[in-house]
Amino acid sequence: MNIQKVAVIGGGTMGNGIAHVCAQFGRQVTLIEVADAPLKKALATIDKNLGRMVEKGKLSAEDKAATLGRITGSLSVQDAAGADLVVEAVVENLSVKQKIFSELDGICKPDAILASNTSTISITTIAASTKRAGQVIGMHFMNPVPLMQLIEVIRGLATNDATHAAVVEFSQALGKTPITVNDYPGFVANRVLLPMINEAVYALMEGVADVESIDGVMKLGMNHPMGPLTLADFIGLDVCLAILEVLHDGLGDSKYRPCPLLKKYVAAGYLGRKSGRGFYNYAS
């Protein structure tokens, strides 16, 4: 399948990045949001990020203008009707995703592929809300999307070979490296990453070391570019908690139990960079 028209549902951190990359690599993109304010913010973010690429000499001003010209904003999911591929990038909530996929199933053309950018939620379960389970797949882009190389491609139980092949080919056309995994809670990326972050929070809670020391050990001793608590702040502590809860519920193993300190921070509204405070204070 030759994917030329893409619809992206949700213009948040991941959605605007996905729209940016698809448009940069020549695809016509419809970016769909629920209200005018978040849509304008998403389009402004894309404009700003493309501008940074021009400043760094990674993109010409002409290419920036062409990229922006390939993106159309919309406030109606009905505008996904003509897309070859729809990528959902909304909140990590199963019922919300099921509602969107059920709606898309009735709107999109019969051969359209429906993909979710979910980082943890079962593709098989999402696909069951449609009548085209074979054409439902996971495309877990990494943040920030324009810079990160990986797309974790997740096959649901019913995902067919043609859908998988088309998404792998499309991912490569975006200059990304697709790696295929099967549909288990957390897939690979978050099943490995989040227990490490969670253990770092436990180490902080138990007084093993302070925030800077925990991050310093992992950066200097394990050659990680970013310490686990810094990374948690970057991801969002609420997102980290939600992923751990999916792992804990889905796998039934106590080793995935979210640290009480992580729960306490989220309850207090300390969500990381996006709220101005997490394990670090970003107010300044």
Side-chain angles (χ1 to χ4, degrees):
M1 182 181 186
N2 186 17
I3 297 172
Q4 292 297 322
K5 294 182 179 180
V6 179
V8 179
I9 311 295
T13 300
M14 299 305 294
N16 72 62
I18 294 166
H20 167 158
V21 169
C22 290
Q24 186 183 337
F25 284 83
R27 272 57 183 184
Q28 295 295 325
V29 178
T30 303
L31 179 57
I32 300 169
E33 257 292 359
V34 294
D36 193 49
L39 179 60
K40 285 180 178 177
K41 182 179 179 181
L43 294 172
T45 299
I46 295 170
D47 190 5
K48 181 179 178 181
N49 289 338
L50 288 167
R52 286 176 177 163
M53 294 178 73
V54 173
E55 289 171 7
K56 294 178 180 178
K58 295 181 178 180
L59 195 73
S60 70
E62 292 76 15
D63 284 340
K64 174 191 172 183
T67 297
L68 290 172
R70 287 189 283 267
I71 301 172
T72 302
S74 170
L75 300 179
S76 173
V77 72
Q78 295 289 334
D79 288 332
D84 303 312
L85 169 69
V86 183
V87 183
E88 167 271 314
V90 303
V91 63
E92 284 288 86
N93 180 290
L94 175 59
S95 61
V96 172
K97 292 181 187 296
Q98 287 176 316
K99 182 176 183 295
I100 290 170
F101 272 75
S102 178
E103 190 172 1
L104 288 170
D105 190 36
I107 292 169
C108 295
K109 58 186 183 179
D111 62 342
I113 294 171
L114 308 182
S116 177
N117 182 58
T118 181
S119 59
T120 50
I121 295 172
S122 169
I123 298 301
T124 301
T125 305
I126 293 172
S129 62
T130 76
K131 294 184 176 70
R132 62 175 85 195
Q135 293 157 240
V136 177
I137 196 166
M139 292 184 74
H140 179 204
F141 290 79
M142 302 293 127
N143 184 28
V145 178
L147 301 180
M148 297 295 280
Q149 189 73 17
L150 174 67
I151 298 178
E152 195 176 28
V153 177
I154 305 103
R155 294 191 69 150
L157 189 63
T159 304
N160 64 43
D161 290 342
T163 295
H164 174 253
V167 166
V168 166
E169 182 180 352
F170 178 69
S171 300
Q172 292 168 336
L174 299 182
K176 305 297 186 185
T177 300
I179 296 180
T180 301
V181 306
N182 289 318
D183 188 19
Y184 287 90
F187 317 131
V188 170
N190 283 323
R191 184 166 176 172
V192 174
L193 174 64
L194 264 296
M196 182 192 72
I197 289 175
N198 199 40
E199 198 61 34
V201 184
Y202 269 111
L204 178 65
M205 184 182 75
E206 294 166 6
V208 178
D210 62 19
V211 172
E212 291 82 0
S213 297
I214 292 167
D215 277 353
V217 166
M218 297 305 292
K219 287 192 292 181
L220 300 177
M222 312 303 167
N223 203 29
H224 289 196
M226 188 183 295
L229 299 176
T230 301
L231 181 56
D233 278 355
F234 182 74
I235 294 169
L237 303 193
D238 53 335
V239 176
C240 291
L241 178 58
I243 293 169
L244 284 163
E245 287 173 338
V246 169
L247 289 169
H248 192 216
D249 293 344
L251 297 169
D253 193 323
S254 61
K255 71 182 179 182
Y256 300 110
R257 182 173 66 94
C259 178
L261 182 61
L262 178 62
K263 288 185 172 182
K264 185 179 290 187
Y265 271 51
V266 172
Y270 300 167
L271 307 183
R273 286 179 177 269
K274 62 187 175 185
S275 70
R277 178 165 181 182
F279 294 112
Y280 293 88
N281 193 329
Y282 302 94
S284 60

